[in-house]
Amino acid sequence: MMTERRNLYFYHKEEPIIREKIDTLRKLAVDLGFTIVKDYKKANIVACFGGDGEFLQGVRRTGFRDDCLYVGTSTTDQLSLYCDFYIDNTLEIVESMTSQVIEVRRYPTIEVTVDNQASFYCLNEFSIQSNIVKTFIMDVYINDLHFETFRGDGVIVSTPTGSTAYNKSVNGAVVDPLLPCMQITELGSLNNNQYRTLGSPFILSHDKVLTLKVAKEGNEHPTMAMDNEALSIQHVENIQIKLSNKRIKTIKLKNNSFWDKVKRNFL
Ligand code: NAP
Ligand code: MN
């Protein structure tokens, strides 16, 4: 849909190698009538430079805006899941942003609430892991149902676009982002006559809430991460995870479906 998107914010690491290229792009954008804004809150297009890791950071640093368009640009010779443009291909980048009919792709995100207080968004996944040598115990609830008692290293809860990241390394399924859902995968679950987990990944729909209750004895200091950022909360008892209403918008290009991306990344 065409809307007047004219305020452009650049997110990138301060790397001398890409500095010049980004400056060139900035000038080009200004010539084409864009305004480069220093305050991301005023932006309606956020251009992220780097790889998937920088795209995730760019989305996080700009507050998971669902009213602006995110554009991922690769600074290497490889595209990635979130980066559809090459930094050297300035023409293509600018053309896509100036196009009258921009088609938009919307990526589901998850919302994580810790101890009924702070809540956070994730575009790839939330992960929780033991940071002690011993196993870590959690009660897992789906809505009000006590589903299992998990004992092991931890779990990953991933979004559809995060399904090709950490989730995939532990044999989770790759999920089409047109399905608004979250996938739970286990990290080193212990299964014996006392402790039993499902053992396979499972996928929850948008109306489900996953609750993790951390069992007390000495494991209330797990390591938690939202995408590529560690959660600095030290003590935790109760974590709720659900699909959020926020979706991250990116430009939909031709011959560039999610499955095209999966193919270009992995096959
Ligand atoms: P990183 O350690 O550099 O990332 C690991 C790799 O995952 C990089 O090649 C990264 O691509 C890629 N990646 C990130 N998001 C992806 C996605 N949605 N689909 C496919 N590949 C993806 O750290 P990072 O670059 O900051 O990325 C953070 C992510 O790394 C986390 O969200 C988590 O999913 C993943 N991770 C994976 C493992 C594992 O597989 N064992 C362990 C920890 C974290 P770029 O090179 O383009 O950045
Ligand atoms: Mn990276």
Side-chain angles (χ1 to χ4, degrees):
M1 271 340 105
M2 177 60 199
T3 44
E4 273 297 311
R5 291 199 182 90
R6 287 284 155 200
N7 286 353
L8 191 53
Y9 178 81
F10 282 67
Y11 177 84
H12 58 93
K13 284 199 283 194
E14 286 306 329
E15 279 172 355
I17 326 149
I18 56 169
R19 170 102 252 161
E20 220 171 286
K21 291 178 177 176
I22 289 177
D23 280 343
T24 309
L25 258 175
R26 271 207 189 92
K27 285 191 192 105
L28 198 61
V30 170
D31 288 345
L32 286 162
F34 286 95
T35 305
I36 312 288
V37 295
K38 289 215 170 91
D39 178 2
Y40 67 81
K41 293 193 188 87
K42 295 194 176 119
N44 32 49
I45 300 179
V46 174
C48 303
F49 296 87
D52 284 337
E54 284 70 37
F55 186 87
L56 293 167
Q57 278 292 309
V59 171
R60 185 164 301 282
R61 297 270 169 261
T62 56
F64 281 81
R65 295 266 308 273
D66 54 5
D67 55 351
C68 70
L69 199 60
Y70 286 92
V71 183
T73 299
S74 168
T75 51
T76 67
D77 57 0
Q78 296 242 324
L79 297 177
S80 57
L81 197 99
Y82 296 112
C83 299
D84 290 319
F85 299 97
Y86 295 104
I87 193 165
D88 290 322
N89 200 344
T90 43
L91 193 69
E92 200 195 0
I93 300 174
V94 166
E95 262 177 7
S96 70
M97 292 192 304
T98 48
S99 159
Q100 291 297 98
V101 259
I102 295 180
E103 269 204 272
V104 166
R105 209 186 278 289
R106 290 180 173 79
Y107 292 146
T109 63
I110 54 175
E111 188 179 352
V112 180
T113 307
V114 177
D115 288 339
N116 299 313
Q117 293 170 30
S119 66
F120 311 90
Y121 295 100
C122 306
L123 179 57
N124 258 0
E125 78 283 290
F126 169 77
S127 64
I128 178 167
Q129 301 185 44
S130 166
N131 73 349
I132 50 169
V133 175
K134 291 178 118 192
T135 53
F136 162 68
I137 303 168
M138 288 182 290
D139 280 304
V140 179
Y141 293 79
I142 298 172
N143 289 348
D144 295 329
L145 170 73
H146 177 257
F147 186 60
E148 61 183 22
T149 301
F150 179 92
R151 185 171 173 197
D153 293 344
V155 296
I156 302 169
V157 183
S158 66
T159 66
T161 53
S163 70
T164 50
Y166 200 176
N167 168 77
K168 192 171 181 299
S169 302
V170 296
N171 279 320
V174 174
V175 178
D176 195 315
L178 288 176
L179 298 168
C181 63
M182 57 185 184
Q183 178 169 193
I184 295 87
T185 44
E186 301 181 343
L187 296 168
S189 64
L190 190 89
N191 272 281
N192 55 27
N193 292 335
Q194 267 182 306
Y195 291 95
R196 175 86 37 227
T197 61
L198 186 64
S200 63
F202 57 96
I203 294 178
L204 298 179
S205 65
H206 65 91
D207 60 343
K208 300 292 190 301
V209 179
L210 184 82
T211 303
L212 306 174
K213 287 188 184 159
V214 178
K216 291 243 167 65
E217 313 89 33
N219 44 195
E220 57 283 72
H221 305 283
T223 299
M224 292 181 282
M226 313 161 294
D227 302 336
N228 50 9
E229 192 141 309
L231 225 170
S232 55
I233 297 173
Q234 293 299 314
H235 182 273
V236 60
E237 285 175 23
N238 184 304
I239 302 152
Q240 289 197 320
I241 307 147
K242 59 176 183 170
L243 270 166
S244 93
N245 296 323
K246 282 196 193 225
R247 299 216 179 178
I248 296 303
K249 287 193 265 186
T250 62
I251 299 177
K252 192 169 171 183
L253 301 168
K254 276 206 190 92
N255 304 320
N256 188 35
S257 71
F258 175 73
W259 296 103
D260 283 304
K261 291 166 192 271
V262 172
K263 187 176 172 188
R264 87 179 172 207
N265 258 293
F266 298 104
L267 298 171

